[in-house]
Amino acid sequence: MWQLRDGVHPVLTDEGGAILNEHTGRWTYLTPTAASAALVLLAAADPDRAAVHFAANYGLPHERAAADVQAVAEALAAQGLVRTKPSRRLRGWRR
């Protein structure tokens, strides 16, 4: 499952979206298309299913939707905003 790291929060804005990284205090601003792709990624079980939903929502060919979703996923991963391993955080405990 595709997830943002702990301490990373997506926010919708009038101009698209933004993601706050609490660890660095930096915001990553997203275009409306990138914000939509990120939200679909977060809601879907995996990037392949996210691409199917993205294509259906916007009437895109599957190949175009898959490329767009993949580009957003890679860009966010490159910035260190995506969880790469399952969290070992126990419920109720803070690091």
Side-chain angles (χ1 to χ4, degrees):
M1 176 176 236
W2 193 88
Q3 296 177 326
L4 296 175
R5 287 183 39 201
D6 291 336
V8 175
H9 310 283
V11 178
L12 290 176
T13 67
D14 290 339
E15 297 83 23
I19 297 177
L20 171 63
N21 184 343
E22 287 181 1
H23 304 288
T24 64
R26 291 186 173 189
W27 288 89
T28 298
Y29 296 97
L30 306 171
T31 65
T33 303
S36 180
L39 292 176
V40 171
L41 274 163
L42 290 169
D46 59 54
D48 292 331
R49 289 191 182 142
V52 170
H53 292 294
F54 196 68
N57 287 345
Y58 296 100
L60 298 171
H62 179 73
E63 296 77 22
R64 176 76 260 159
D68 289 349
V69 167
Q70 185 66 31
V72 170
E74 288 175 0
L76 296 177
Q79 293 182 38
L81 300 174
V82 176
R83 182 180 293 166
T84 56
K85 299 177 188 174
S87 176
R88 293 186 184 180
R89 186 170 159 180
L90 298 175
R91 188 173 275 179
W93 288 81
R94 293 185 66 93
R95 290 185 203 209

